[in-house]
Amino acid sequence: MEINAVAIDDEPLALEIIQSYCSKIQNLDLKASFTDPIEGLQYLKSTQVDLLFLDIHMKDLNGIQLLSILPNKPMVIFTSAYDKYALKGFELDVVDFLLKPIPFDRFLISIDKTIERLKRKNQSNNTVNNTLNDTNIGNYCFVKADHKLKKVFFDDILYIEGMGDYLKIVTENQKIMTLNNFKKFETVLPESKFCRVHKSYIVALDKINNIEKNKIFIGINEIPISEKYRAAFFEKLDKMIVQ
C-alpha cells in the first residue's frame, strides 16, 4: 500500500527530518514539502494526497487554520513543539500528534496508524462501491466524500473528471472528490444522459453548450474528445442533432 504524502513546516530543519524519515520507509512517498503554509495550501487544493504532515505553530497561517479551510482533507499528522495543541489535534480527528523533536520510533508508530486508517477507509469505500447500484434510486446516487455519504442528483452533474484513484464530480454548485473509478461509476450513471469522451472525462449530454472539433464546452469548462471515444460519442450525439 503506497502512501502519498506532503509536509508543511516553516522550520527547514524540521522538514529535513521528516524528509529523512520518509525516505527510510518503503511505500511512503513524500511528494512535496513546503516552508510556506500558503504555498502548501495551494498545492493541496490542486493535488490529492493521502497524508499531510502539518506543523501547527506557523506564521501567517497556522496548521489548525490551514486544515479548517482545506477542501478534500487528507489524513493529517500534526507536528509541533508545543504539547498544548495535542487535544485540539484529536478533536479534529487527525491520525496522530508528534511532539518535536520527533524520534524515529515514534514516527514509525504514526505511519502504522496511518496505514491502519487507510485500510479501514479503503474497506469502507469498497463496501460503498459494491452497493452503489442498490443506493441508486432512479435519479441520484450516493458517493463517499469527506468521511460521509453525499447524495448526488444525476441532473446536477456537469461532468466527471478522473484524477488518479479519485473522481471529481463537478456540478453547478460544488466539486466532490471521491475515491472511485470510472468503470464502477459508469454502471450507475444513466446511459442515455452521460457519455465517456476521454479516458479522464464523462460528460452530461444535456449540459453541453458547444462542440468544436475535438473539444466540448460546458459553461467555461473545456473538455477534450479523444480518438478512442470519438465515434461512440458522435453516434450517441447524432440522435440529438436536428438536420
Side-chain angles (χ1 to χ4, degrees):
M1 179 183 296
E2 183 165 315
I3 300 173
N4 296 319
V6 166
I8 302 175
D9 195 314
D10 63 355
E11 299 177 38
L13 180 59
L15 272 185
E16 288 178 12
I17 291 172
I18 290 176
Q19 289 166 349
S20 173
Y21 285 176
C22 288
S23 69
K24 297 176 182 179
I25 300 176
Q26 188 177 11
N27 298 328
L28 177 57
D29 185 5
L30 188 64
K31 293 291 188 181
S33 56
F34 302 89
T35 54
D36 185 337
I38 296 175
E39 287 183 6
L41 176 62
Q42 293 306 314
Y43 177 89
L44 289 167
K45 283 183 176 180
S46 61
T47 306
Q48 188 75 34
V49 298
D50 302 308
L51 176 64
L52 171 61
F53 296 99
L54 183 60
D55 185 29
I56 295 179
H57 197 266
M58 297 184 288
K59 295 179 181 178
D60 298 327
L61 187 69
N62 68 46
I64 294 172
Q65 292 169 333
L66 187 152
L67 185 58
S68 69
I69 60 177
L70 180 65
N72 306 312
K73 296 175 178 57
M75 295 179 291
V76 174
I77 294 176
F78 272 146
T79 61
S80 178
Y82 305 93
D83 58 5
K84 64 181 180 180
Y85 293 116
L87 179 59
K88 184 62 178 178
F90 290 110
E91 288 176 353
L92 293 171
D93 193 33
V94 300
V95 174
D96 207 354
F97 180 94
L98 292 176
L99 188 64
K100 299 176 182 178
I102 303 169
F104 184 59
D105 61 339
R106 184 63 183 82
F107 184 86
L108 286 174
I109 292 173
S110 288
I111 300 305
D112 286 341
K113 290 182 178 181
T114 302
I115 292 171
E116 287 304 312
R117 183 175 290 200
L118 191 57
K119 285 180 179 178
R120 292 197 300 270
K121 178 181 178 181
N122 288 341
Q123 289 171 354
S124 178
N125 283 333
N126 287 337
T127 300
V128 173
N129 288 341
N130 291 334
T131 58
L132 266 175
N133 284 324
D134 294 334
T135 58
N136 173 12
I137 315 296
N139 63 344
Y140 65 86
C141 68
F142 288 99
V143 296
K144 188 168 185 181
D146 298 329
H147 308 293
K148 56 188 174 185
L149 286 172
K150 288 188 175 182
K151 179 189 280 188
V152 181
F153 286 94
F154 297 132
D155 286 343
D156 291 341
I157 298 174
L158 301 179
Y159 65 91
I160 301 165
E161 181 179 358
M163 305 179 72
D165 295 328
Y166 290 81
L167 295 181
K168 179 169 69 173
I169 302 170
V170 180
T171 73
E172 292 183 358
N173 301 314
Q174 62 179 330
K175 296 177 182 178
I176 302 170
M177 293 291 294
T178 179
L179 186 63
N180 218 308
N181 61 70
F182 276 124
K183 185 176 180 180
K184 183 63 182 178
F185 214 78
E186 281 182 296
T187 65
V188 178
L189 294 171
E191 186 177 353
S192 62
K193 294 184 178 181
F194 293 89
C195 186
R196 184 86 170 265
V197 298
H198 188 276
K199 68 177 182 179
S200 299
Y201 290 95
I202 291 175
V203 299
L205 296 171
D206 64 344
K207 300 300 191 302
I208 296 174
N209 298 115
N210 297 293
I211 301 169
E212 298 178 15
K213 296 182 179 179
N214 291 323
K215 296 178 182 178
I216 293 169
F217 294 87
I218 298 179
I220 62 172
N221 303 289
E222 183 178 311
I223 297 167
I225 305 170
S226 71
E227 193 63 33
K228 178 178 179 180
Y229 298 97
R230 180 181 175 83
F233 169 63
F234 279 101
E235 182 180 348
K236 182 174 287 190
L237 196 68
D238 189 57
K239 302 173 183 177
M240 305 166 66
I241 297 175
V242 179
Q243 303 291 345

